[in-house]
Amino acid sequence: MQNTQSSCASYHCIVIGNPIAHSKSPELHQAFARQTGVKLSYQRQLCPNDKDSFIAVVESFFNGGGTGCNITVPFKEMAFDLVKARGALSEFAQVAGAVNTLAVKNGKLYGDNTDGRGLVADLVAKGVTLQGKNVVILGAGGATRGAILPLLNANVNSLHIANRTIKKAENLVKLMQNFNPEFARKLSYSSLENLPKNFEVIINATSIGLSGEALPFADDLTPDFGSSFAYDMMYGKPSAFLDFFRQKGATTADGLGMLIHQGALSFGFWTGKKVDLVKLGNPFD
Ligand code: NDP
């Protein structure tokens, strides 16, 4: 594949997904481009949901001089497989088993995953200290998988993964312990009904909120969440999860900031420009 990245005076990017019409990425990246003075075209690319179509879209995009792709549902794992076979993966993408950012580096495909670092960056921007904290993450799907390494890199004291299908949480913990045996001390898992009694940060990375269902919490988790932080990766919808913890006194936030931060990391990778997200404010206002 051609490498167009270093010689670009203007940048050509797409987000590949199915469906894709709802994606906020073009708006987001144009806001980054305006702030950094970059000339950018950024389009939504609908792709049939099969591997051959996905590969054809990626190949024709980069062979046609494209700079970078964001990858969204349902193609993140396909992108991972493609890069694994033909190119190089960042450590974050390797652990996540999923790619959300593609580029061509030295003539080869390069795949990264910025979702988890976007989450951590948003938590930090919201004043949440992760170092030394006990963190619970609900879910064991792609979003959790992407978040684990960045959360562990942030030096949390412990990270507990709770999932409806307990085997998936167990497999994820084993995967991480094999990746780095030092993680064994920090990681644990359970069902959603058996959360640890004490934690300072809880993150919902299940897709349950998309269906409007409530999570099966025991109502007596701990007596006081006044100094806790609850984060729902979902955004743009009412969250029963956030309502639950807000009523118990926790500070809460939805996943819009994670979306913005992960986008800024992709944009920085493609263009070499750092977006000032404090100055930018909400790019969708
Ligand atoms: P996946 O489909 O990979 O995983 C879904 C997870 O939700 C699984 O752990 C699944 O459990 C659990 N789940 C689904 N339905 C229920 C239910 N009824 N009760 C209990 N658990 C349930 O999704 P992702 O990991 O990709 O995404 C998870 C969430 O994170 C979504 O809301 C998504 O929108 C959000 N997200 C936000 C981002 C952002 O930038 N803000 C980025 C990425 C994701 P089981 O294993 O038992 O099936």
Side-chain angles (χ1 to χ4, degrees):
M1 289 193 195
Q2 291 171 13
N3 183 357
T4 55
Q5 200 175 354
S6 57
S7 58
C8 273
S10 64
Y11 298 88
H12 303 282
C13 299
I14 53 174
V15 55
I16 306 174
N18 187 342
I20 199 63
H22 66 287
S23 172
K24 289 175 183 285
S25 290
E27 246 174 301
L28 182 63
H29 283 266
Q30 289 302 351
F32 298 159
R34 277 194 300 279
Q35 189 194 67
T36 54
V38 155
K39 206 171 152 200
L40 174 78
S41 74
Y42 192 113
Q43 315 297 332
R44 295 176 184 89
Q45 178 65 58
L46 182 66
C47 177
N49 187 2
D50 67 85
K51 193 176 152 196
D52 289 344
S53 301
F54 176 71
I55 292 173
V57 166
V58 171
E59 279 180 343
S60 73
F61 174 72
F62 283 115
N63 288 336
T67 311
C69 308
N70 279 135
I71 311 295
T72 188
V73 177
F75 297 117
K76 289 184 187 181
E77 286 80 17
M78 268 185 224
F80 173 85
D81 290 341
L82 175 65
V83 181
K84 195 174 172 200
R86 297 201 194 167
L89 291 158
S90 73
E91 189 181 52
F92 296 103
Q94 282 174 43
V95 172
V99 161
N100 79 336
T101 304
L102 274 179
V104 172
K105 246 180 157 181
N106 305 321
K108 278 195 163 179
L109 266 183
Y110 181 80
D112 195 4
N113 189 312
T114 62
D115 284 338
R117 278 172 288 155
L119 165 72
V120 167
D122 191 37
L123 287 168
V124 169
K126 289 183 162 59
V128 179
T129 306
L130 289 166
Q131 185 167 5
K133 295 291 161 62
N134 300 304
V135 178
V136 169
I137 189 161
L138 310 179
T144 294
R145 213 173 140 157
I148 292 180
L149 186 60
L151 286 168
L152 288 166
N153 281 352
N155 249 329
V156 297
N157 181 56
S158 67
L159 180 57
H160 183 89
I161 302 168
N163 197 43
R164 176 177 63 180
T165 311
I166 196 164
K167 190 74 192 160
K168 272 170 74 179
E170 182 185 357
N171 288 345
L172 208 41
V173 166
K174 282 187 182 153
L175 177 93
M176 293 310 297
Q177 288 169 346
N178 289 338
F179 180 77
N180 183 342
E182 282 181 26
F183 293 160
R185 192 182 57 78
K186 296 201 169 189
L187 289 165
S188 56
Y189 65 90
S190 72
S191 66
L192 290 170
E193 290 82 4
N194 287 300
L195 300 187
K197 293 287 173 229
N198 293 302
F199 50 83
E200 290 89 27
V201 179
I202 183 163
I203 299 161
N204 180 24
T206 71
S207 50
I208 190 173
L210 300 173
S211 63
E213 286 174 66
L215 282 158
F217 291 122
D219 207 40
D220 59 350
L221 275 176
T222 64
D224 177 19
F225 281 98
S227 59
S228 306
F229 195 91
Y231 191 96
D232 197 335
M233 286 195 188
M234 185 184 73
Y235 56 87
K237 280 190 156 211
S239 163
F241 166 84
L242 293 183
D243 289 347
F244 176 90
F245 283 99
R246 206 177 292 117
Q247 278 161 19
K248 289 191 166 285
T251 307
T252 62
D254 71 12
L256 182 66
M258 174 177 173
L259 174 83
I260 296 169
H261 279 274
Q262 64 76 29
L265 289 163
S266 299
F267 182 85
F269 177 67
W270 295 325
T271 65
K273 305 278 183 188
K274 188 166 166 41
V275 183
D276 185 336
L277 290 175
V278 176
K279 266 196 195 153
L280 189 73
N282 185 343
F284 306 113
D285 275 348

